[in-house]
Amino acid sequence: MCGELRLAALERGTCTEGDFAAVAMYSELYARWISLKEQIGDKWMVDMIVLDSNGVARTVTRVNPLLKILSATEARLQSMLKSLAATPLDREKAKQTAPNQKEEIVPGSMADLMPELLVMPGGKK
């Protein structure tokens, strides 16, 4: 079904191959972000064993090194949201595609799944 939706979006001209790649990359980043948040939990500070100049091991408390990776991932997610016009401000700036003149019903769309809720242009149901 995913392949059918992809083909339909390509035929309508509402998505390009680049759009699919961008969404896939965003999905991967989002999964990484969730994983990092789970790993960090509430451990903002971690205890590490370091050697001093005499070679004696001691325990020090430091900022969790995963926080740096989490911060970079969040910045990339925010950047991708802007490029996908997924923020409220960017959605307003996004160029609208031309309306579909064929009035085709896209598989998986609202018109396909619940046609009783939708009135087609021209008053058709």
Side-chain angles (χ1 to χ4, degrees):
M1 177 159 170
C2 185
E4 293 171 3
L5 292 175
R6 182 179 181 152
L7 183 60
L10 287 170
E11 287 175 356
R12 284 193 316 273
T14 56
C15 291
T16 65
E17 287 294 335
D19 294 326
F20 291 109
V23 170
M25 192 182 328
Y26 178 83
S27 300
E28 182 65 32
L29 277 171
Y30 186 80
R32 186 179 307 159
W33 178 68
I34 293 295
S35 175
L36 283 166
K37 288 181 65 73
E38 289 172 352
Q39 289 178 45
I40 294 170
D42 60 354
K43 298 179 198 142
W44 296 87
M45 303 296 281
V46 293
D47 292 331
M48 302 177 107
I49 298 174
V50 296
L51 300 177
D52 62 15
S53 58
N54 297 324
V56 177
R58 60 188 178 102
T59 304
V60 295
T61 302
R62 300 252 167 98
V63 173
N64 191 330
L66 290 176
L67 288 173
K68 185 176 180 180
I69 300 169
L70 180 71
S71 178
T73 303
E74 288 171 341
R76 289 180 66 193
L77 282 171
Q78 181 64 28
S79 173
M80 290 207 68
L81 283 173
K82 288 176 149 290
S83 70
L84 294 170
T87 65
L89 181 61
D90 294 310
R91 257 193 312 271
E92 290 179 14
K93 295 177 183 177
K95 182 179 174 185
Q96 185 175 359
T97 60
N100 186 358
Q101 300 299 323
K102 296 180 186 177
E103 296 181 12
E104 71 181 56
I105 296 179
V106 178
S109 68
M110 179 68 93
D112 182 37
L113 299 174
M114 293 185 252
E116 67 277 4
L117 299 178
L118 191 64
V119 175
M120 298 299 283
K124 300 176 193 172
K125 253 195 164 187

